[in-house]
Coordinates of all heavy atoms in Angstrom, one line a residue:
M30 N -18.1 55.7 -7.4 CA -18.4 54.3 -7.7 C -19.0 54.2 -9.1 O -19.9 55.0 -9.5 CB -19.5 53.8 -6.7 CG -20.0 52.4 -6.9 SD -20.9 51.7 -5.6 CE -22.4 52.6 -5.6
K31 N -18.5 53.3 -9.9 CA -19.0 53.1 -11.2 C -20.4 52.4 -11.2 O -20.7 51.6 -10.3 CB -18.1 52.2 -12.0 CG -16.8 52.9 -12.4 CD -16.0 51.9 -13.3 CE -14.6 52.6 -13.6 NZ -13.8 51.7 -14.4
M32 N -21.2 52.7 -12.2 CA -22.5 52.0 -12.4 C -22.2 50.7 -13.1 O -21.3 50.6 -13.9 CB -23.4 52.9 -13.1 CG -23.7 54.3 -12.5 SD -24.3 54.1 -10.8 CE -25.9 53.5 -11.1
Y33 N -23.2 49.7 -12.9 CA -23.0 48.4 -13.5 C -22.9 48.5 -15.0 O -22.2 47.7 -15.6 CB -24.0 47.4 -13.0 CG -25.4 47.6 -13.6 CD1 -25.7 47.0 -14.8 CD2 -26.4 48.3 -12.9 CE1 -26.9 47.2 -15.4 CE2 -27.6 48.5 -13.5 CZ -27.9 47.9 -14.7 OH -29.1 48.1 -15.3
W34 N -23.6 49.4 -15.6 CA -23.6 49.4 -17.1 C -22.2 49.9 -17.6 O -21.8 49.4 -18.6 CB -24.7 50.3 -17.6 CG -24.8 51.7 -17.1 CD1 -24.1 52.8 -17.5 CD2 -25.7 52.2 -16.1 NE1 -24.5 53.9 -16.8 CE2 -25.4 53.5 -16.0 CE3 -26.7 51.6 -15.3 CZ2 -26.1 54.3 -15.0 CZ3 -27.3 52.3 -14.4 CH2 -27.1 53.7 -14.3
E35 N -21.5 50.7 -16.8 CA -20.1 51.0 -17.2 C -19.2 49.8 -17.1 O -18.3 49.6 -17.9 CB -19.6 52.2 -16.3 CG -20.4 53.5 -16.4 CD -20.0 54.5 -15.4 OE1 -20.2 54.2 -14.2 OE2 -19.5 55.5 -15.8
I36 N -19.4 49.1 -16.0 CA -18.6 47.9 -15.8 C -18.8 46.8 -16.8 O -17.8 46.2 -17.3 CB -18.8 47.4 -14.3 CG1 -18.4 48.5 -13.3 CG2 -18.1 46.0 -14.1 CD1 -18.8 48.2 -11.9
I37 N -20.0 46.5 -17.2 CA -20.2 45.5 -18.2 C -19.7 45.9 -19.6 O -19.2 45.1 -20.3 CB -21.7 45.0 -18.3 CG1 -22.7 46.1 -18.7 CG2 -22.1 44.3 -17.0 CD1 -24.1 45.6 -19.0
R38 N -19.7 47.2 -19.8 CA -19.1 47.7 -21.1 C -17.6 47.6 -21.1 O -17.0 47.1 -22.0 CB -19.5 49.2 -21.3 CG -19.0 49.7 -22.7 CD -19.3 51.2 -22.9 NE -18.7 52.0 -21.9 CZ -19.3 52.8 -21.1 NH1 -20.6 52.9 -21.1 NH2 -18.7 53.5 -20.2
E39 N -17.0 47.9 -19.9 CA -15.5 47.8 -19.8 C -15.1 46.3 -19.9 O -14.1 46.0 -20.5 CB -15.1 48.3 -18.5 CG -15.1 49.9 -18.4 CD -14.8 50.4 -17.1 OE1 -14.5 49.7 -16.1 OE2 -14.8 51.7 -17.0
L40 N -15.9 45.4 -19.3 CA -15.5 44.0 -19.3 C -15.6 43.5 -20.8 O -14.7 42.8 -21.3 CB -16.5 43.1 -18.5 CG -16.3 43.2 -17.0 CD1 -17.6 42.6 -16.3 CD2 -15.1 42.5 -16.6
R41 N -16.6 43.9 -21.5 CA -16.7 43.5 -22.9 C -15.6 44.1 -23.8 O -14.9 43.4 -24.5 CB -18.1 44.0 -23.5 CG -18.3 43.7 -25.0 CD -19.6 44.2 -25.5 NE -19.8 45.6 -25.3 CZ -19.2 46.5 -26.1 NH1 -18.5 46.2 -27.1 NH2 -19.5 47.8 -25.9
E42 N -15.4 45.4 -23.6 CA -14.3 46.1 -24.4 C -12.9 45.6 -24.1 O -12.1 45.5 -25.0 CB -14.4 47.6 -24.2 CG -15.6 48.2 -24.8 CD -15.8 49.7 -24.5 OE1 -15.1 50.2 -23.6 OE2 -16.6 50.3 -25.2
D43 N -12.7 45.3 -22.9 CA -11.3 44.7 -22.5 C -11.0 43.4 -23.2 O -9.9 43.0 -23.3 CB -11.2 44.5 -21.0 CG -11.1 45.9 -20.2 OD1 -10.9 46.9 -20.9 OD2 -11.3 45.9 -19.0
R44 N -12.1 42.7 -23.6 CA -11.9 41.4 -24.2 C -12.1 41.5 -25.8 O -12.2 40.5 -26.4 CB -12.9 40.4 -23.6 CG -12.4 40.0 -22.2 CD -13.6 39.5 -21.4 NE -13.1 39.1 -20.1 CZ -13.0 39.9 -19.0 NH1 -13.1 41.2 -19.2 NH2 -12.6 39.4 -17.9
D45 N -12.2 42.7 -26.2 CA -12.4 43.0 -27.7 C -13.6 42.3 -28.2 O -13.6 41.7 -29.3 CB -11.1 42.6 -28.5 CG -10.0 43.5 -28.1 OD1 -10.1 44.7 -27.9 OD2 -8.8 43.0 -28.0
L46 N -14.7 42.3 -27.5 CA -15.9 41.7 -27.9 C -16.9 42.7 -28.4 O -16.9 43.9 -27.9 CB -16.6 40.8 -26.8 CG -15.7 39.7 -26.3 CD1 -16.3 39.1 -25.0 CD2 -15.6 38.6 -27.4
K47 N -17.8 42.4 -29.2 CA -18.9 43.3 -29.7 C -20.1 43.0 -28.9 O -20.3 42.0 -28.2 CB -19.2 43.0 -31.2 CG -18.1 43.3 -32.1 CD -18.5 43.0 -33.5 CE -17.6 41.9 -34.0 NZ -18.0 41.3 -35.3
Q48 N -21.0 44.0 -28.9 CA -22.3 43.9 -28.2 C -23.0 42.7 -28.7 O -23.6 41.9 -27.9 CB -23.1 45.1 -28.3 CG -22.6 46.3 -27.5 CD -23.5 47.5 -27.7 OE1 -24.4 47.6 -28.6 NE2 -23.4 48.4 -26.7
S49 N -23.0 42.4 -29.9 CA -23.7 41.2 -30.5 C -23.1 39.9 -29.9 O -23.8 38.9 -29.8 CB -23.6 41.2 -32.0 OG -22.3 41.2 -32.5
D50 N -21.8 39.9 -29.6 CA -21.2 38.7 -29.0 C -21.8 38.4 -27.7 O -22.2 37.3 -27.3 CB -19.7 38.8 -28.9 CG -19.0 39.0 -30.2 OD1 -19.4 38.4 -31.2 OD2 -18.0 39.8 -30.2
I51 N -21.9 39.4 -26.8 CA -22.5 39.3 -25.5 C -24.0 39.0 -25.6 O -24.5 38.2 -24.8 CB -22.2 40.5 -24.6 CG1 -20.7 40.7 -24.6 CG2 -22.7 40.3 -23.2 CD1 -19.8 39.5 -24.1
A52 N -24.7 39.7 -26.5 CA -26.1 39.4 -26.7 C -26.3 37.9 -27.0 O -27.3 37.3 -26.5 CB -26.6 40.3 -27.8
A53 N -25.5 37.3 -27.8 CA -25.6 35.9 -28.1 C -25.4 35.1 -26.9 O -26.2 34.1 -26.7 CB -24.6 35.5 -29.2
V54 N -24.5 35.4 -26.0 CA -24.3 34.7 -24.7 C -25.5 34.8 -23.9 O -25.9 33.8 -23.3 CB -23.0 35.3 -24.0 CG1 -23.0 34.7 -22.6 CG2 -21.8 35.0 -24.8
L55 N -26.2 36.0 -23.9 CA -27.4 36.2 -23.1 C -28.6 35.7 -23.8 O -29.7 35.8 -23.2 CB -27.5 37.7 -22.7 CG -26.4 38.3 -21.9 CD1 -26.6 39.8 -21.7 CD2 -26.2 37.6 -20.6
Q56 N -28.5 35.3 -25.0 CA -29.7 34.8 -25.8 C -30.7 36.0 -25.9 O -31.9 35.8 -25.7 CB -30.3 33.6 -25.3 CG -29.3 32.4 -25.3 CD -29.9 31.1 -24.7 OE1 -30.9 31.1 -24.0 NE2 -29.3 30.0 -25.1
T57 N -30.2 37.1 -26.3 CA -31.0 38.3 -26.5 C -30.5 39.0 -27.7 O -29.6 38.5 -28.4 CB -31.0 39.2 -25.2 OG1 -32.1 40.2 -25.4 CG2 -29.7 39.9 -25.0
T58 N -31.1 40.2 -28.0 CA -30.6 40.9 -29.2 C -29.5 41.9 -28.8 O -29.4 42.3 -27.7 CB -31.8 41.6 -29.9 OG1 -32.2 42.6 -29.0 CG2 -32.9 40.7 -30.2
Q59 N -28.8 42.3 -29.8 CA -27.8 43.4 -29.6 C -28.5 44.7 -29.2 O -27.9 45.4 -28.3 CB -27.0 43.6 -30.9 CG -25.9 44.7 -30.8 CD -26.5 46.1 -31.1 OE1 -27.4 46.3 -31.9 NE2 -25.9 47.1 -30.4
Q60 N -29.7 45.0 -29.7 CA -30.4 46.2 -29.3 C -30.7 46.2 -27.8 O -30.6 47.2 -27.1 CB -31.6 46.4 -30.1 CG -31.3 46.7 -31.6 CD -31.1 45.4 -32.4 OE1 -31.1 44.3 -32.0 NE2 -30.8 45.6 -33.7
V61 N -31.2 45.0 -27.3 CA -31.5 44.9 -25.9 C -30.3 45.0 -25.0 O -30.2 45.8 -24.0 CB -32.3 43.6 -25.6 CG1 -32.4 43.3 -24.1 CG2 -33.6 43.6 -26.2
Y62 N -29.2 44.3 -25.4 CA -28.0 44.4 -24.7 C -27.4 45.9 -24.7 O -26.9 46.3 -23.6 CB -26.9 43.4 -25.2 CG -25.7 43.5 -24.4 CD1 -25.6 43.0 -23.1 CD2 -24.6 44.3 -24.8 CE1 -24.5 43.2 -22.3 CE2 -23.4 44.4 -24.0 CZ -23.4 43.9 -22.8 OH -22.3 44.0 -22.0
S63 N -27.5 46.5 -25.8 CA -27.1 47.9 -25.9 C -27.8 48.8 -24.8 O -27.2 49.7 -24.2 CB -27.3 48.5 -27.3 OG -27.0 49.9 -27.3
R64 N -29.1 48.5 -24.6 CA -29.8 49.3 -23.6 C -29.4 49.0 -22.2 O -29.4 49.9 -21.3 CB -31.3 49.0 -23.8 CG -31.9 49.6 -25.1 CD -33.3 49.2 -25.4 NE -34.2 49.8 -24.5 CZ -34.7 51.0 -24.7 NH1 -34.4 51.7 -25.8 NH2 -35.6 51.5 -23.8
Y65 N -28.8 47.8 -21.9 CA -28.2 47.5 -20.6 C -27.0 48.3 -20.4 O -26.8 48.9 -19.4 CB -27.9 46.0 -20.5 CG -29.0 45.0 -20.6 CD1 -28.8 43.7 -21.0 CD2 -30.3 45.3 -20.2 CE1 -29.8 42.8 -21.1 CE2 -31.3 44.4 -20.2 CZ -31.0 43.1 -20.7 OH -32.0 42.2 -20.8
E66 N -26.1 48.4 -21.5 CA -24.9 49.1 -21.4 C -25.1 50.6 -21.3 O -24.2 51.3 -20.7 CB -24.0 48.8 -22.6 CG -23.2 47.5 -22.5 CD -22.1 47.4 -23.5 OE1 -21.8 48.4 -24.2 OE2 -21.5 46.3 -23.5
K67 N -26.2 51.1 -21.7 CA -26.5 52.5 -21.7 C -27.2 52.9 -20.4 O -27.5 54.0 -20.1 CB -27.3 53.0 -22.9 CG -26.5 52.9 -24.2 CD -27.4 53.3 -25.3 CE -26.7 53.3 -26.6 NZ -27.5 53.5 -27.8
G68 N -27.6 51.9 -19.6 CA -28.4 52.1 -18.4 C -29.8 52.4 -18.6 O -30.5 52.9 -17.7
I69 N -30.3 52.2 -19.8 CA -31.7 52.5 -20.2 C -32.6 51.4 -19.6 O -33.7 51.7 -19.0 CB -31.9 52.6 -21.7 CG1 -31.1 53.8 -22.2 CG2 -33.4 52.7 -22.1 CD1 -31.0 53.8 -23.7
N70 N -32.2 50.1 -19.8 CA -33.0 49.0 -19.2 C -32.1 48.4 -18.1 O -30.9 48.3 -18.2 CB -33.2 47.9 -20.3 CG -34.2 48.3 -21.3 OD1 -34.7 49.4 -21.4 ND2 -34.5 47.3 -22.1
E71 N -32.8 48.0 -17.0 CA -32.1 47.3 -15.9 C -31.7 45.9 -16.4 O -32.5 45.2 -17.0 CB -32.9 47.3 -14.7 CG -33.0 48.7 -14.1 CD -33.5 48.6 -12.6 OE1 -33.5 47.6 -12.0 OE2 -34.1 49.7 -12.2
L72 N -30.5 45.5 -15.9 CA -30.0 44.2 -16.2 C -30.8 43.1 -15.4 O -30.7 43.2 -14.1 CB -28.5 44.1 -15.9 CG -27.8 42.8 -16.3 CD1 -27.7 42.6 -17.8 CD2 -26.4 42.9 -15.7
P73 N -31.5 42.2 -16.0 CA -32.2 41.2 -15.1 C -31.2 40.3 -14.4 O -30.0 40.1 -14.9 CB -32.9 40.3 -16.2 CG -33.0 41.2 -17.4 CD -31.8 42.0 -17.4
I74 N -31.6 39.8 -13.3 CA -30.7 38.9 -12.4 C -30.2 37.7 -13.2 O -29.0 37.4 -13.1 CB -31.5 38.5 -11.2 CG1 -31.8 39.6 -10.3 CG2 -30.6 37.4 -10.4 CD1 -30.6 40.4 -9.7
H75 N -31.0 37.1 -14.0 CA -30.5 35.9 -14.8 C -29.5 36.3 -15.8 O -28.5 35.5 -16.0 CB -31.7 35.1 -15.4 CG -32.4 35.8 -16.5 ND1 -33.4 36.8 -16.3 CD2 -32.3 35.7 -17.9 CE1 -33.8 37.2 -17.5 NE2 -33.2 36.6 -18.4
H76 N -29.5 37.5 -16.3 CA -28.4 38.0 -17.2 C -27.2 38.3 -16.4 O -26.1 38.1 -16.8 CB -28.9 39.1 -18.0 CG -29.8 38.7 -19.1 ND1 -30.3 39.6 -20.0 CD2 -30.2 37.5 -19.5 CE1 -31.0 39.0 -20.9 NE2 -31.0 37.7 -20.6
L77 N -27.4 38.9 -15.2 CA -26.2 39.2 -14.3 C -25.5 37.9 -14.0 O -24.3 37.8 -14.1 CB -26.7 39.8 -13.0 CG -25.7 40.0 -11.9 CD1 -24.5 40.9 -12.4 CD2 -26.3 40.6 -10.6
K78 N -26.2 36.8 -13.6 CA -25.6 35.5 -13.3 C -24.8 35.0 -14.5 O -23.7 34.6 -14.4 CB -26.7 34.6 -12.9 CG -26.1 33.2 -12.5 CD -27.2 32.3 -12.1 CE -26.7 30.9 -11.8 NZ -27.8 30.0 -11.4
T79 N -25.4 35.1 -15.7 CA -24.8 34.6 -16.9 C -23.5 35.4 -17.2 O -22.5 34.8 -17.6 CB -25.7 34.7 -18.1 OG1 -26.9 33.9 -17.9 CG2 -25.1 34.2 -19.4
L80 N -23.5 36.7 -17.0 CA -22.3 37.5 -17.3 C -21.2 37.2 -16.2 O -20.1 37.2 -16.6 CB -22.7 39.0 -17.2 CG -23.5 39.6 -18.4 CD1 -23.9 41.0 -18.1 CD2 -22.8 39.4 -19.7
C81 N -21.6 37.0 -15.0 CA -20.6 36.6 -14.0 C -19.9 35.3 -14.4 O -18.7 35.2 -14.3 CB -21.3 36.4 -12.6 SG -21.9 37.9 -11.8
L82 N -20.7 34.3 -14.8 CA -20.1 33.0 -15.2 C -19.3 33.2 -16.5 O -18.2 32.7 -16.6 CB -21.2 32.0 -15.5 CG -22.0 31.6 -14.2 CD1 -23.2 30.7 -14.6 CD2 -21.1 30.8 -13.2
F83 N -19.7 34.0 -17.4 CA -19.0 34.2 -18.7 C -17.7 34.9 -18.5 O -16.6 34.5 -19.0 CB -19.9 35.0 -19.7 CG -19.2 35.3 -21.0 CD1 -19.1 34.3 -21.9 CD2 -18.7 36.5 -21.2 CE1 -18.4 34.5 -23.1 CE2 -18.0 36.8 -22.4 CZ -17.9 35.8 -23.4
Y84 N -17.7 36.0 -17.7 CA -16.5 36.8 -17.4 C -15.7 36.2 -16.3 O -14.6 36.7 -16.0 CB -16.8 38.2 -17.2 CG -17.3 39.0 -18.4 CD1 -18.6 39.6 -18.4 CD2 -16.5 39.1 -19.5 CE1 -19.0 40.4 -19.5 CE2 -17.0 39.8 -20.6 CZ -18.2 40.4 -20.6 OH -18.7 41.2 -21.7
Q85 N -16.2 35.3 -15.5 CA -15.5 34.7 -14.3 C -15.2 35.8 -13.3 O -14.1 36.0 -12.8 CB -14.3 34.0 -14.7 CG -14.5 32.7 -15.5 CD -15.3 31.7 -14.6 OE1 -14.7 31.2 -13.7 NE2 -16.5 31.3 -15.0
V86 N -16.3 36.6 -13.0 CA -16.1 37.7 -12.0 C -17.3 37.6 -11.1 O -18.3 36.9 -11.4 CB -16.1 39.1 -12.6 CG1 -14.9 39.3 -13.5 CG2 -17.4 39.4 -13.4
S87 N -17.2 38.2 -9.9 CA -18.3 38.2 -8.9 C -19.4 39.2 -9.3 O -19.2 40.2 -10.0 CB -17.8 38.5 -7.5 OG -17.4 39.8 -7.5
A88 N -20.6 38.9 -8.8 CA -21.7 39.8 -9.0 C -21.4 41.1 -8.3 O -21.7 42.2 -8.8 CB -23.0 39.2 -8.5
D89 N -20.7 41.1 -7.1 CA -20.3 42.3 -6.4 C -19.5 43.2 -7.3 O -19.6 44.4 -7.3 CB -19.6 42.0 -5.1 CG -20.5 41.5 -4.0 OD1 -21.7 41.6 -4.2 OD2 -20.0 41.1 -3.0
Y90 N -18.6 42.6 -8.1 CA -17.7 43.4 -9.0 C -18.6 44.1 -10.0 O -18.4 45.3 -10.3 CB -16.7 42.5 -9.7 CG -15.8 43.3 -10.6 CD1 -14.8 44.1 -10.1 CD2 -16.0 43.3 -12.0 CE1 -14.0 44.9 -10.9 CE2 -15.3 44.0 -12.8 CZ -14.3 44.8 -12.3 OH -13.5 45.6 -13.2
I91 N -19.4 43.3 -10.7 CA -20.3 43.9 -11.8 C -21.2 45.0 -11.2 O -21.4 46.1 -11.8 CB -21.1 42.9 -12.5 CG1 -20.2 42.0 -13.4 CG2 -22.2 43.5 -13.3 CD1 -20.9 40.9 -14.2
L92 N -21.7 44.8 -10.0 CA -22.6 45.8 -9.3 C -21.8 47.0 -8.7 O -22.4 47.9 -8.2 CB -23.4 45.1 -8.3 CG -24.4 44.0 -8.8 CD1 -25.1 43.3 -7.7 CD2 -25.4 44.6 -9.8
G93 N -20.5 46.9 -8.8 CA -19.7 48.0 -8.3 C -19.6 48.1 -6.8 O -19.2 49.1 -6.2
L94 N -19.8 46.9 -6.1 CA -19.7 46.8 -4.7 C -18.4 46.4 -4.2 O -18.1 46.5 -3.0 CB -20.8 45.8 -4.2 CG -22.2 46.2 -4.5 CD1 -23.2 45.1 -4.1 CD2 -22.6 47.5 -3.8
S95 N -17.5 45.9 -5.2 CA -16.2 45.5 -4.8 C -15.3 45.7 -6.0 O -15.7 45.7 -7.2 CB -16.2 44.0 -4.5 OG -14.9 43.5 -4.4
H96 N -14.0 46.0 -5.7 CA -13.0 46.2 -6.8 C -12.4 44.8 -7.1 O -11.6 44.7 -8.0 CB -12.0 47.2 -6.3 CG -12.5 48.6 -6.2 ND1 -13.0 49.3 -7.2 CD2 -12.7 49.3 -5.1 CE1 -13.4 50.5 -6.8 NE2 -13.3 50.5 -5.5
D97 N -12.7 43.8 -6.3 CA -12.1 42.5 -6.4 C -12.9 41.7 -7.5 O -14.1 41.5 -7.3 CB -12.1 41.8 -5.1 CG -11.5 40.4 -5.1 OD1 -10.9 40.0 -6.2 OD2 -11.5 39.7 -4.1
M98 N -12.3 41.4 -8.6 CA -13.0 40.7 -9.7 C -13.2 39.2 -9.4 O -14.0 38.6 -10.0 CB -12.2 40.8 -11.0 CG -12.1 42.2 -11.5 SD -11.1 42.3 -13.0 CE -12.2 41.7 -14.2
N99 N -12.4 38.7 -8.4 CA -12.5 37.2 -8.2 C -13.8 36.8 -7.6 O -14.4 37.4 -6.8 CB -11.3 36.8 -7.3 CG -9.9 37.1 -7.9 OD1 -9.8 36.9 -9.1 ND2 -9.0 37.6 -7.1
I100 N -14.1 35.6 -8.0 CA -15.3 34.9 -7.4 C -14.8 34.2 -6.2 O -13.8 33.4 -6.2 CB -15.9 33.9 -8.4 CG1 -16.4 34.6 -9.6 CG2 -17.0 33.1 -7.7 CD1 -16.9 33.7 -10.7
H101 N -15.4 34.4 -5.0 CA -15.0 33.8 -3.8 C -15.8 32.5 -3.6 O -17.0 32.5 -3.7 CB -15.2 34.7 -2.6 CG -14.5 36.0 -2.7 ND1 -13.1 36.1 -2.6 CD2 -14.9 37.2 -3.0 CE1 -12.8 37.3 -2.7 NE2 -13.8 38.1 -3.0
K102 N -15.1 31.4 -3.4 CA -15.7 30.1 -3.3 C -15.7 29.7 -1.9 O -15.0 30.0 -1.1 CB -15.0 29.1 -4.2 CG -15.2 29.5 -5.6 CD -14.6 28.5 -6.5 CE -14.8 28.9 -8.0 NZ -14.4 28.0 -8.9

């Protein structure tokens, strides 16, 4: 099972985005976001929600609980 920091890095890289791009979406710094991707700092729930909406994926996908990227409505 992949860790969430691996998944958020893959989501970003698959879209050819920089850490600073995602940091701007989260209204944080690139340095703080980098620490999320390295697993140094835990990703706050409000940032998880923002990433789910930005990438249009479920929280279960980012958390590695599901291989299904789709948001179930």
Side-chain angles (χ1 to χ4, degrees):
M30 176 167 71
K31 289 184 185 179
M32 301 304 289
Y33 75 84
W34 54 83
E35 297 171 298
I36 295 168
I37 62 173
R38 183 181 64 242
E39 288 173 0
L40 286 167
R41 177 182 58 79
E42 290 175 346
D43 288 348
R44 288 158 179 80
D45 296 321
L46 297 169
K47 295 181 242 170
Q48 287 182 343
S49 59
D50 298 325
I51 303 306
V54 170
L55 298 177
Q56 298 180 339
T57 192
T58 65
Q59 179 274 326
Q60 292 83 1
V61 168
Y62 181 74
S63 174
R64 293 174 70 86
Y65 297 152
E66 280 195 3
K67 291 177 182 176
I69 296 169
N70 289 6
E71 288 194 22
L72 185 69
I74 295 295
H75 67 280
H76 284 180
L77 172 62
K78 182 179 176 182
T79 301
L80 290 175
C81 290
L82 294 171
F83 179 77
Y84 289 123
Q85 292 294 296
V86 298
S87 70
D89 282 351
Y90 179 77
I91 289 179
L92 296 174
L94 300 173
S95 172
H96 295 292
D97 184 6
M98 293 177 80
N99 297 321
I100 298 174
H101 301 288
K102 297 183 180 187

